[in-house]
């Protein structure tokens, strides 16, 4: 029922910015809490940022102050604005949706996932 599609990935230089978007299908977007995760080659998938159904946000320590998650319920879209990018931000980025209240940082809480978009930050 629910389909997620990420876009906006690409290659940027150290210190650059990139904005990821995730379009969510259906008419129940406002019922979902959303999250962004990333996975670098050879590493575990990690939580990046989450936003609740009501707009509360939480960030991983590694991105706090540099990344901003937001949602536009009218457009069924969640965004991840990434500023001051570092090479260690290089990864495949995934958006995900859960159907519970609050913010979830564990991937196991998310029922729906996009296919990912690649972000590469060069030094």
């Amino acid at each position: 029922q629910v389909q997620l599609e990420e876009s906006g990935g690409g290659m940027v230089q150290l210190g650059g910015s990139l904005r990821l978007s995730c379009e969510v299908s259906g008419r129940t977007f406002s019922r979902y809490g959303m999250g962004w995760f990333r996975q670098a080659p050879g590493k575990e998938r990690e939580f990046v940022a989450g936003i609740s159904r009501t707009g509360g946000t939480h960030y991983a320590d590694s991105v706090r102050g540099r990344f901003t998650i937001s949602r536009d319920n009218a457009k069924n879209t969640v965004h991840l604005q990434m500023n001051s990018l570092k090479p260690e931000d290089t990864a495949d980025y995934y958006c995900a949706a859960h159907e519970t209240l609050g913010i979830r940082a564990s991937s196991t809480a998310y029922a729906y996932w996009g296919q990912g978009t690649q972000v590469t930050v060069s030094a």
Side-chain angles (χ1 to χ4, degrees):
Q1 179 182 347
V2 180
Q3 303 288 330
L4 288 71
E5 184 174 2
E6 302 95 337
S7 62
M11 181 178 294
V12 297
Q13 296 187 61
L14 170 69
S17 297
L18 203 61
R19 194 186 199 205
L20 305 183
S21 298
C22 178
E23 177 76 19
V24 182
S25 68
R27 301 167 68 177
T28 57
F29 176 72
S30 62
R31 297 172 59 185
Y32 302 135
M34 301 296 299
W36 286 95
F37 293 78
R38 67 186 182 187
Q39 187 167 20
K43 295 186 177 181
E44 299 290 332
R45 179 173 51 186
E46 65 174 343
F47 171 80
V48 176
I51 185 166
S52 72
R53 293 161 56 178
T54 55
T57 59
H58 182 65
Y59 300 90
D61 290 343
S62 59
V63 307
R64 185 174 293 109
R66 300 188 297 120
F67 290 11
T68 302
I69 187 172
S70 62
R71 65 188 298 155
D72 187 339
N73 288 349
K75 297 181 179 179
N76 282 20
T77 303
V78 62
H79 301 281
L80 185 69
Q81 178 67 46
M82 304 184 294
N83 299 326
S84 302
L85 283 163
K86 307 173 181 179
E88 51 262 46
D89 296 318
T90 296
D92 290 332
Y93 283 72
Y94 300 87
C95 67
H98 66 84
E99 299 177 294
T100 60
L101 298 175
I103 301 168
R104 299 289 181 263
S106 174
S107 62
T108 60
Y110 290 80
Y112 310 106
W113 293 82
Q115 295 191 30
T117 185
Q118 189 173 30
V119 171
T120 301
V121 184
S122 61

